[in-house]
Amino acid sequence: MEYEAVIGLETHVQLRTKSKMWCGCANQYGAEPNTNVCPVCLGMPGVLPVPNEEALRLTVLTGYLLNCEIPGFAKFDRKSYFYPDMPKNYQLTQYDKPSTANGVVEFEFNGPGSNNGLSRVRITRAHLEEDVGKSTHFDRNSGLDFNRAGVPLMEIVSEPDITSADMAHAYLNALTEILHQGGVSDCDMEKGMVRCDVNISVRPVGTKELGAKIEIKNMNSFSGVRRAAEYEIARQIDVVKRGEKLIQSTRRWDDATGVTEQMRTKEDAHDYRYFPDPDLMPLAPTEEWLTGVKSRVVELPLARKQRLMREYQLPAGDAEVFKSNVELGNYFESIAKQAKNPKAVANWIINNLLAKLAESSSRGNEALTEESGKDQSLLTSAATIKSLKYPPSALLELVGLVEAKTISSSAAQQVFAEMFDTGKSPALIVQEKGLAQVSDTGEIEKFCDEAIAANPNPVADYKAGKLAALNSLKGQVMKLSKGKANPALVGEILERKLKA
Ligand SMILES: [Zn+2]
């Protein structure tokens, strides 16, 4: 019998707010332990929470970005449990009335059920809650840092629509790209801003009933999620094939040994005794408030990629670069709108500008770490684009010079390097460096004669039928002309002379 995996993800994302969820303490990573704390986030008796409105907005914004419904009524509940890193002994969360529900994420992934290379995962809900503190265990004692306690945290729950480890990985990348570009979260994995719980079960192919749900808790890297899911799917299939029974349970992934281990089964599951928080009013957003949030919705990355391919006839690879690098994409569009050949503009930006920027930033920049999510340090910032020495019109001019055959493509490389360094206009650089292409046939004839006279071997080869020998002669002529001869003319003239 063949088995298939059924996976659902609960993704926790820290929201990009200045302050915490219920108090004015800074939401700031990396501060000295216990410096961003106050009686509210330390859970002192008698304190009252005041909701962070920006966190409420970002949660509803997420709802719009993930095609969710925004219910007219939401509330906060207390989820009661004791743990040293949570001094209130309850976590505030949205239990049965979340701020958003019933959405969908569409992303590029080829697999069972995909359509034209696109897959969909339905979103059950995205709700708002709060993060807890952080414990560090030393030799004989433990330390607690409450800087993270009360940081706004959003939980995005997916339906069990994911069918493989690779699909889970692709979904997480797509989801965090949307949240990052939407300004909801920085999604910095290194700083623990994204964590997820992975629910996995297996069932015989073709059946509908779900198998026992097994949850892997607290994953903090997407590659870890992929490895853990691969391991766990194989393990579960192995268990059922042996005729044994799987039971609903929670497991932990050990990244070093590459296995999951059981933490607890359903019998020892917590009873969280949820009840509405009596200190907080329910939420009933007005139309006006919702309109304000809606105005912050950005174009989704996938939609942007598809539009760039459609409007500018870009190949998928180019559109992909501009999809993940929004500022660079905006820069491309600002120029391509006026260009006859947008693809040429894309080439200059992707092949030349990015290389130049990488070159200048690698001087004095620390090396990139592997699992920094999206290599965000590679994303071009608006400030970088603004600081370019040449104006966008110069790139259009450069493309025009190549298309008019005023300069050869190799000369254009020199012009670009010079305009990047100095900001001089392409026309001026061409003039100063004498880079204009020679299309004067008389002059080219002279170079051809010289090349033929100086290279008897390739000449003989060509005459003997080795047509490739023409390239070596062409190269000689280009050298003699210092790269300025029009290569098409050189080819024509050489052939005519050799056949004579
Ligand atoms: Zn506080």
Side-chain angles (χ1 to χ4, degrees):
M1 193 184 286
E2 285 298 309
Y3 288 87
E4 66 182 5
V6 180
I7 305 173
L9 290 177
E10 292 164 22
T11 312
H12 292 88
V13 178
Q14 283 184 357
L15 298 181
R16 187 195 285 168
T17 57
K18 290 200 178 76
S19 57
K20 292 190 184 180
M21 190 59 224
W22 312 111
C23 59
C25 292
N27 172 10
Q28 173 199 21
Y29 176 86
E32 280 292 301
N34 299 308
T35 50
N36 294 329
V37 292
C38 73
V40 174
C41 53
L42 286 174
M44 298 294 179
V47 295
L48 287 172
V50 177
N52 181 329
E53 193 179 358
E54 177 64 1
L56 297 171
R57 284 192 209 103
L58 291 176
T59 305
V60 170
L61 175 60
T62 301
Y64 286 130
L65 293 169
L66 305 183
N67 308 293
C68 293
E69 295 158 14
I70 312 298
F73 178 89
K75 67 177 171 66
F76 283 99
D77 303 272
R78 292 187 181 183
K79 177 184 183 180
S80 313
Y81 65 98
F82 174 76
Y83 200 77
D85 63 12
M86 205 189 50
K88 287 203 290 254
N89 291 341
Y90 59 83
Q91 183 188 25
L92 283 169
T93 182
Q94 297 181 314
Y95 178 54
D96 56 350
K97 295 287 176 193
S99 280
T100 80
N102 300 328
V104 66
V105 175
E106 194 176 34
F107 55 102
E108 288 178 300
F109 183 78
N110 248 325
S114 66
N115 184 6
N116 265 335
L118 298 179
S119 293
R120 292 160 75 89
V121 169
R122 287 168 299 155
I123 300 298
T124 318
R125 55 196 280 165
H127 68 253
L128 186 51
E129 53 189 41
E130 58 181 328
D131 213 339
V132 296
K134 215 177 196 169
S135 33
T136 311
H137 304 291
F138 307 108
D139 236 5
R140 303 170 65 92
N141 47 30
S142 294
L144 286 165
D145 175 8
F146 290 108
N147 284 347
R148 203 178 67 179
V151 161
L153 192 69
M154 189 172 54
E155 178 172 341
I156 300 157
V157 182
S158 88
E159 291 289 307
D161 290 346
I162 298 166
T163 53
S164 67
D166 285 339
M167 186 175 174
H169 191 261
Y171 160 79
L172 284 169
N173 275 319
L175 177 67
T176 47
E177 188 162 65
I178 292 170
L179 298 177
H180 182 245
Q181 293 190 8
V184 170
S185 169
D186 289 332
C187 293
D188 192 330
M189 307 286 294
E190 300 248 295
K191 296 179 179 165
M193 289 180 185
V194 185
R195 280 115 59 193
C196 57
D197 303 333
V198 189
N199 296 305
I200 301 181
S201 61
V202 294
R203 65 183 174 198
V205 171
T207 58
K208 283 273 166 259
E209 203 183 324
L210 293 173
K213 184 174 91 175
I214 292 170
E215 181 177 27
I216 310 170
K217 277 275 185 206
N218 248 327
M219 303 292 307
N220 55 16
S221 86
F222 295 171
S223 58
V225 168
R226 175 154 60 187
R227 290 176 61 217
E230 265 164 16
Y231 172 85
E232 185 59 20
I233 293 166
R235 186 190 73 83
Q236 291 186 19
I237 292 176
D238 210 43
V239 170
V240 289
K241 277 194 170 164
R242 282 203 309 266
E244 292 166 32
K245 233 178 132 49
L246 288 161
I247 47 167
Q248 188 176 331
S249 53
T250 302
R251 300 178 74 86
R252 164 194 313 120
W253 167 249
D254 185 329
D255 206 59
T257 55
V259 300
T260 61
E261 318 162 328
Q262 183 154 305
M263 287 165 73
R264 54 176 186 264
T265 57
K266 200 185 172 188
E267 284 74 51
D268 8 87
H270 295 286
D271 173 9
Y272 291 119
R273 291 173 290 116
Y274 286 101
F275 67 94
D277 188 285
D279 293 336
L280 289 164
M281 293 283 282
L283 313 165
T286 61
E287 274 311 310
E288 194 190 354
W289 191 86
L290 290 173
T291 307
V293 175
K294 221 179 243 172
S295 69
R296 294 168 65 177
V297 170
V298 297
E299 186 179 24
L300 292 180
L302 177 62
R304 181 182 177 83
K305 178 175 176 181
Q306 291 167 333
R307 185 177 57 77
L308 290 172
M309 291 172 70
R310 199 174 56 237
E311 280 181 20
Y312 301 101
Q313 286 82 48
L314 290 187
D318 290 7
E320 178 70 28
V321 174
F322 296 138
K323 167 200 149 204
S324 21
N325 201 331
V326 177
E327 289 301 338
L328 199 69
N330 291 342
Y331 178 66
F332 161 76
E333 284 201 78
S334 72
I335 301 172
K337 278 201 177 95
Q338 308 147 56
K340 275 190 240 115
N341 182 357
K343 170 65 182 144
V345 176
N347 286 348
W348 281 106
I349 294 176
I350 293 171
N351 302 334
N352 298 73
L353 177 59
L354 276 186
K356 275 281 181 192
L357 289 175
E359 208 177 280
S360 39
S361 76
S362 72
R363 295 183 214 121
N365 240 6
E366 73 275 36
L368 296 171
T369 47
E370 202 215 326
E371 179 89 22
S372 60
K374 301 225 126 10
D375 275 347
Q376 282 171 13
S377 43
L378 284 182
L379 297 184
T380 315
S381 69
T384 306
I385 298 279
K386 240 187 154 171
S387 70
L388 291 176
K389 290 188 177 139
Y390 66 87
S393 59
L395 208 51
L396 270 182
E397 190 185 331
L398 180 61
V399 170
L401 289 173
V402 177
E403 279 178 356
K405 301 203 167 30
T406 310
I407 52 175
S408 67
S409 48
S410 64
Q413 300 286 336
Q414 288 183 55
V415 174
F416 181 82
E418 178 80 9
M419 72 188 225
F420 180 87
D421 289 338
T422 64
K424 283 183 189 167
S425 85
L428 183 65
I429 297 167
V430 169
Q431 195 189 17
E432 280 181 357
K433 302 209 160 204
L435 291 170
Q437 190 156 259
V438 175
S439 292
D440 170 348
T441 43
E443 210 170 330
I444 295 176
E445 300 240 0
K446 234 171 51 202
F447 290 136
C448 290
D449 289 336
E450 260 180 72
I452 289 171
N455 297 282
N457 288 342
V459 171
D461 286 349
Y462 182 81
K463 288 190 168 163
K466 287 187 196 156
L467 298 183
L470 191 68
N471 289 333
S472 119
L473 289 169
K474 246 182 167 176
Q476 292 302 320
V477 175
M478 293 309 289
K479 218 181 204 172
L480 288 169
S481 76
K482 301 200 171 69
K484 291 188 289 183
N486 179 329
L489 276 179
V490 172
E492 270 171 43
I493 293 171
L494 275 175
E495 270 184 73
R496 173 163 49 77
K497 286 187 182 288
L498 291 169
K499 279 180 185 156

